[in-house]
Every structure is written in C-alpha cells, then in structure tokens.
Amino acid sequence: MPTVLVTGGAGFIGSNFVRHLLATDPTVAVVNFDALTYAGNLANLADLAGHPRYTFIKGDVTDRDHVRAALQRGVTDIIHFAAESHVDRSIQDSGPFVRTNVIGTQILLDAAREFKVNKYVQVSTDEVYGSLGATGFFTEETPLHPNSPYSASKAGADLLVQAYQHTFGLPAVITRCSNNYGPYQFPEKLIPLFVTNLLNDIPVPVYGDGQQVRDWIHVLDHCRGVEAAWRNGRPGEVYNFGGRCEMPNLELTKLLIRLLGKPESLIRYVEDRLGHDRRYAIDCAKAERELGWAPQVSFDAGLAETIAWYQTNAAWVATIKNKDYMSYYEKQYGSKL
Ligand code: NAD
Ligand code: DAU
C-alpha cells in the first residue's frame, strides 16, 4: 500500500488534500506530520478520527530525528505542504519562514534520500516568480524573482529540491499554484478574513488602491493538481496550477460585500503591504497537457460554497479568532479600521 507522508496536513490545503486522497483512493495510507503552529488545527480533520488508513504525528519538519522516525513507518512517498504561508507575517518576522520553509525542506530532502522514497512533491507557489505587469502569464520557464521574505524562502526551498534532484537523482517534482480559497482557510488570508469580518459587520482592510490582481483557484482543484503531479509528474519537472480567474482585490471585495448583502461603507483603505506584488496570473497549459489536469470548480460556485461554509462553521471560526489572533490583527491594523 502506498504510504504518503503529508507534511502540514492540519493546515488549510493539507487538510483538504488528506481528506480528498483518503476519500478517492482506497489503496493509500496517509501519515500526517504537522507541528500544529497557529495555522495548524486538528479540528480541520475531525471527521477522520479513527480512520484505519490515517495516522497523525505532531512533529516539526526541522526536527531531523522526528522526521526520520516518521519515515520509518513504511513511508513510500512525501508530499510537502508544511510551511509558514502568510506574506504579511513574513514581513513582520522572516525568521520562522527561513527555519521552516528552507531548513525544514532541506531536512525532509535528506530524509527522502535516505529512505529512498518513490516520489517527493514540493508544494510551492506562483509567488516565487515575482510580479507581473498588466499583461502576460507565469510559465514554468519564468525566472525566479521572489519579492517577499515568504516567497524568497519558498524559492530557496525550490532550488534545494532541484539541486537534490540534479545531484542525487531524487525523484522530485515541484508544483506552483496561485491563490487558493475554500473551506478551512485560516481567516488571515483575504477571502476568509473578509467573509468572516463582513458576516459580523466588521470593516475589511483593502491594501493600497486595491488594484492588485490575484488568480483564484478552488482548493480542491489545487489538491487534484498536487495528486496528479505525485502520480504522473516527471521527476525534475515543475507544474504550474491556476484557476484562470484573475480579479483585482477591490472587485473581489465588492463582490463579497454584494453576496453577503452588506454596505460598501465597510471597506477601509489601509496602508499598502510593503513590496506588494501587483499581479499574478498562471499559465497552466503544461499541467493540462502533461497531467490531464484542469480546474473544475467555477469561481461563482466555489465562492458561494465557501461563503456558506464559513456561515455554517461559525464555531470553527470562533475558536480561531481568539485572543492571540486578535492581538496579531490589531498589531497589523491598529486603529486604522
Ligand atoms: P497553512 O498556513 O494553512 O498551513 C500550514 C501548515 O503547516 C499548518 O498546519 C502548520 O501547522 C504546518 N507547519 C508549519 N510549520 C511547520 C513545521 N515547522 N513543521 C511541521 N508542520 C508545520 O498553509 P496553506 O495555505 O495550507 O499552504 C500549504 C502549502 O501550500 C504551503 O507550502 C504554501 O506555501 C503552499 N501554497 C499555498 C497557497 C495558498 O493560496 N494558500 C498557494 C500556493 C501554494
Ligand atoms: O499566490 C499564492 C499565494 O497566495 C500563496 O503562496 C500564499 O501562501 C497565500 O497566502 C497567498 O498569498 P497572497 O499574499 O496573495 O494572499 P493574501 O490572502 O494574504 O492576499 C491576497 C491579496 O489581498 C493580496 O494582494 C493582498 C491583499 N490583501 C490581503 C489581506 C489579508 C488585502 O488587501 N487586505 C488584507 O487584509
């Protein structure tokens, strides 16, 4: 039975991935290795309690001995989601980003070599390509030009993966995806933050002029892409995934406001994010051609479902928007809202 070590499986995308894989492939076992940082939450996988093919290990990817012990459980493959993932936090303090995203990846790569895994998947991001002007798309050939401490740490990790593939023949693939949305996303990212604020009539902070463009993809489409890269991706290759759904932040904000029946007076224009990337847009033709993958969830349907999920799961939100969360949020915005 393939036994996949999924790192970061208690986070937003990792938890959706673990649930997806166990539900769609009865021949696979999952070992979820997650440090449970502020972003990790076992409640995201509460429905898998007692599942015969699921094991959870609380562990840090920078802990070499713990990673090796986890791999000794018959692990055949590694899919590496664990990361510090929020750009704003990387601007406040880049230390944890370098530690987890760079050093953690190096430790995992060493373990992957030692245990001779069949496939290693590095879940990366389109942010490693930097920022686009008004036109054009990121392809897999676009040079790396990371602009934030977050994206620099992800690019550093990607380069290590490529070096291990080249030097040691590690059977590794890299995936680079655009902005995800969907259930279980930590409410510090744009869509869940704005939805949960608006539901409670709390203002929403739009950075700068709100004309930055992001390419939105439903988390399950990303999960299907990572799965396809794991099963069929060619070692040494990079695969981009995107939703073919570009939208300026302000337009998205007004759409959320309309869908929730709230007034536009809840918009607050706040100071721009430092070094803010202007536009991301993904060309995912290679994944479509080589992996037979395509995004399936329309933005209208996915967004409506996501809003409904946050409405139905107010208790999940309440456990997260706790004292620690608020102190971070207040530190970020002060009295600007
Ligand atoms: P997330 O912040 O929701 O979850 C990250 C998970 O990693 C958490 O469960 C956390 O506990 C765990 N983790 C953090 N540090 C760890 C450590 N040292 N050891 C073990 N576990 C640790 O992140 P996400 O949005 O689900 O992103 C998952 C991956 O996908 C990341 O690698 C991210 O760079 C990448 N990605 C995210 C997006 C997006 O839009 N969210 C898009 C493209 C790529
Ligand atoms: O592109 C993929 C990346 O998408 C992932 O690698 C990251 O892990 C993920 O966090 C995401 O990065 P962004 O910085 O694009 O996502 P975020 O939700 O933080 O912001 C989306 C856009 O909205 C961005 O232009 C900043 C803006 N924004 C964000 C927040 C949280 C605001 O205007 N106000 C806000 O309060």
Side-chain angles (χ1 to χ4, degrees):
M1 172 177 288
T3 299
V4 185
L5 185 85
V6 175
T7 69
F12 163 47
I13 306 172
S15 62
N16 278 286
F17 181 81
V18 169
R19 181 178 296 102
H20 163 76
L21 196 60
L22 288 172
T24 54
D25 184 347
T27 71
V28 79
V30 169
V31 177
N32 174 8
F33 189 86
D34 194 300
L36 299 182
T37 67
Y38 80 94
N41 186 352
L42 283 183
N44 296 359
L45 289 170
D47 52 320
L48 292 185
H51 192 292
R53 289 179 286 117
Y54 172 70
T55 310
F56 174 71
I57 300 173
K58 182 174 187 301
D60 190 319
V61 289
T62 64
D63 181 341
R64 184 179 304 274
D65 292 340
H66 207 168
V67 166
R68 291 185 70 255
L71 279 159
Q72 274 154 1
R73 294 174 174 244
V75 167
T76 55
D77 298 82
I78 297 178
I79 304 185
H80 181 32
F81 288 92
E84 288 293 337
S85 70
H86 194 45
V87 174
D88 291 322
R89 287 180 189 257
S90 80
I91 293 167
Q92 288 193 338
D93 180 7
S94 59
F97 287 75
V98 174
R99 196 181 71 88
T100 286
N101 301 359
V102 183
I103 313 246
T105 297
Q106 179 245 322
I107 284 171
L108 215 52
L109 288 167
D110 278 342
R113 271 186 72 208
E114 180 185 347
F115 287 86
K116 299 185 172 41
V117 297
N118 294 330
K119 190 69 100 33
Y120 174 99
V121 181
Q122 177 74 7
V123 180
S124 186
T125 168
D126 62 354
E127 297 200 14
V128 298
Y129 297 123
S131 185
L132 290 164
T135 57
F137 296 89
F138 296 134
T139 73
E140 289 80 359
E141 313 308 324
T142 304
L144 301 193
H145 194 295
N147 288 319
S148 71
Y150 161 70
S151 53
S153 69
K154 294 292 291 186
D158 285 12
L159 292 175
L160 279 171
V161 174
Q162 286 175 330
Y164 273 62
Q165 200 278 328
H166 179 82
T167 309
F168 305 113
L170 185 76
V173 298
I174 296 174
T175 65
R176 296 190 179 132
C177 189
S178 63
N179 286 62
N180 287 218
Y181 70 95
Y184 300 102
Q185 188 167 26
F186 195 88
E188 65 186 350
K189 309 279 164 65
L190 189 144
I191 288 182
L193 175 67
F194 283 19
V195 169
T196 54
N197 275 16
L198 290 168
L199 284 170
N200 294 295
D201 299 308
I202 296 169
V204 292
V206 170
Y207 297 166
D209 63 4
Q211 293 309 317
Q212 308 82 6
V213 173
R214 295 295 182 264
D215 172 357
W216 295 96
I217 181 171
H218 191 272
V219 64
L220 278 182
D221 278 331
H222 183 193
C223 291
R224 283 187 275 265
V226 170
E227 182 190 2
W230 167 52
R231 293 190 193 283
N232 301 316
R234 287 182 293 132
E237 294 295 316
V238 174
Y239 297 94
N240 285 349
F241 299 108
R244 295 194 194 285
C245 177
E246 285 184 58
M247 199 175 283
N249 293 336
L250 188 58
E251 187 182 328
L252 173 57
T253 304
K254 289 183 177 173
L255 174 62
L256 293 173
I257 283 176
R258 215 168 41 248
L259 291 171
L260 287 160
K262 302 292 178 177
E264 288 192 5
S265 56
L266 284 171
I267 295 176
R268 295 288 184 279
Y269 293 93
V270 300
E271 207 176 305
D272 208 352
R273 174 184 278 175
L274 291 177
H276 201 165
D277 285 339
R278 199 66 181 166
R279 175 170 168 261
Y280 304 146
I282 279 273
D283 178 345
C284 47
K286 179 178 175 184
E288 292 179 329
R289 201 174 53 245
E290 288 194 16
L291 302 176
W293 170 92
Q296 294 173 22
V297 183
S298 77
F299 194 53
D300 285 352
L303 199 57
E305 252 177 49
T306 301
I307 290 174
W309 190 87
Y310 282 97
Q311 280 171 317
T312 316
N313 289 277
W316 180 90
V317 175
T319 60
I320 287 174
K321 281 195 158 182
N322 57 20
K323 207 164 142 284
D324 287 348
Y325 170 84
M326 287 314 289
S327 67
Y328 169 75
Y329 189 74
E330 278 155 10
K331 195 158 53 177
Q332 201 176 20
Y333 302 113
S335 55
K336 286 181 205 128
L337 292 189

